[in-house]
Amino acid sequence: MRILVTNDDGIHAPGIASLIRIANKISKDVWIVAPEEEHSGAGHSLSLANPIRLRQLNARKFAVRGTPTDCVLMGIRHIMKDRAPDLVLSGINRGQNIADDVTYSGTIAAAMEGTQLGVPSIALSQAFGFGGGSQVKWATGEHFAPGIIKKLVAAGWPTDVLININFPDVVHTAVKGVEVTVQGKRDQSLVRVEERIDARNNPYYWLGFERIPSNPPKGTDLRAIYDGYISVSPLHMNLTHGRTRAALVAALGKS
């Protein structure tokens, strides 16, 4: 199996080092194409107004001055054009990508791009900070990810679906199991805009979410992570809402 590894935290992030170790447990044909710098929150953005710079670090490792989407495009359509990868792995992200995060996440976006280009793709993220600590438990993902990925690949999934895996903020011995979940909904009251003043007395702002657990329903990715389970969510690329479309057809008529 040929695997393309990417991320949104950058080529030197500890999470991608962790994911490379995971990929090497699955295959000996592992390629890395990742952003030169961090692109957290980049979403499914593409570099169209600026040139993309490519730097080769070794025979199968490349840094791209661009977005996670750029990296997957460059990997599949340029660097690996002689033979496309069989699997795209994106991550491991520093922080969970659950609920509304999936629309912001560069980690998810890289898996979206792989899916659009016809390659089965998995996004992986490691939750942290729920207990007030700043230590990221990379060993949890490293312990469980190889087995989960092998099972997913063996089972297969539709070509217009990507898989989103999130590991809870616990050591691997405290993980309660794996749950197949649906995308949850974040409590938007936890969104924070923090105003600060720079050295020239001008205001600037930081955006973020308070790391306070809400009370999401069972079966969601949020609940699984809060309860110490690994969340595995299949995300559909087609965003059309069927019931609303049917209602609009009834209201507006067929064109």
Side-chain angles (χ1 to χ4, degrees):
M1 179 184 293
R2 175 171 276 198
I3 298 176
L4 171 59
V5 171
T6 190
N7 75 345
D8 73 350
D9 287 331
I11 192 77
H12 301 297
I16 199 168
S18 181
L19 187 54
I20 292 167
R21 290 191 289 271
I22 290 165
N24 282 328
K25 292 179 181 178
I26 300 169
S27 172
K28 297 304 179 187
D29 191 7
V30 176
W31 295 68
I32 302 97
V33 184
E36 190 84 61
E37 300 171 345
E38 182 177 351
H39 280 270
S40 295
H44 202 184
S45 59
L46 195 60
S47 294
L48 297 176
N50 297 302
I52 295 172
R53 308 288 183 183
L54 183 67
R55 185 165 64 97
Q56 186 167 1
L57 303 178
N58 63 38
R60 292 186 293 187
K61 187 174 185 179
F62 299 81
V64 175
R65 190 165 292 278
T67 69
T69 300
D70 296 334
C71 293
V72 175
L73 264 170
M74 290 292 291
I76 295 175
R77 290 293 173 85
H78 178 67
I79 297 168
M80 306 169 74
K81 62 185 177 183
D82 63 318
R83 181 189 154 203
D86 303 297
L87 181 68
V88 171
L89 298 178
S90 178
I92 294 176
N93 191 68
R94 183 179 180 271
Q96 65 280 355
N97 278 308
I98 50 181
D100 310 275
D101 297 343
V102 303
T103 60
Y104 304 122
S105 167
T107 305
I108 300 284
M112 284 182 174
E113 192 62 25
T115 300
Q116 286 190 171
L117 295 175
V119 180
S121 301
I122 301 174
L124 303 97
S125 303
Q126 176 62 57
F128 81 98
F130 287 108
S134 59
Q135 190 75 27
V136 183
K137 301 174 179 65
W138 302 115
T140 299
E142 287 194 43
H143 181 84
F144 288 101
I148 293 173
I149 292 168
K150 288 176 183 177
K151 287 181 180 179
L152 287 169
V153 169
W157 60 89
T159 56
D160 58 348
V161 170
L162 64 99
I163 304 297
N164 183 28
I165 302 176
N166 281 269
F167 300 99
D169 184 22
V170 297
V171 296
H172 78 272
T173 52
V175 170
K176 295 180 180 178
V178 179
E179 284 193 358
V180 179
T181 59
V182 299
Q183 181 186 344
K185 178 68 178 172
R186 187 185 295 282
D187 181 356
Q188 292 301 322
S189 67
L190 299 179
V191 177
R192 186 180 71 219
V193 179
E194 185 175 307
E195 182 176 358
R196 299 183 184 182
I197 304 296
D198 68 18
R200 296 187 177 184
N201 208 36
N202 295 314
Y204 66 98
Y205 305 88
W206 280 106
L207 304 179
F209 291 91
E210 303 222 20
R211 295 183 182 276
I212 302 172
S214 54
N215 188 27
K218 189 169 179 57
T220 63
D221 48 13
L222 280 162
R223 172 55 65 189
I225 293 302
Y226 290 168
D227 291 346
Y229 289 87
I230 297 168
S231 168
V232 178
S233 304
L235 302 180
H236 193 199
M237 292 290 292
N238 188 336
L239 302 180
T240 305
H241 191 259
R243 290 197 303 274
T244 300
R245 181 186 177 279
L248 291 176
V249 168
L252 301 176
K254 295 181 179 179
S255 59

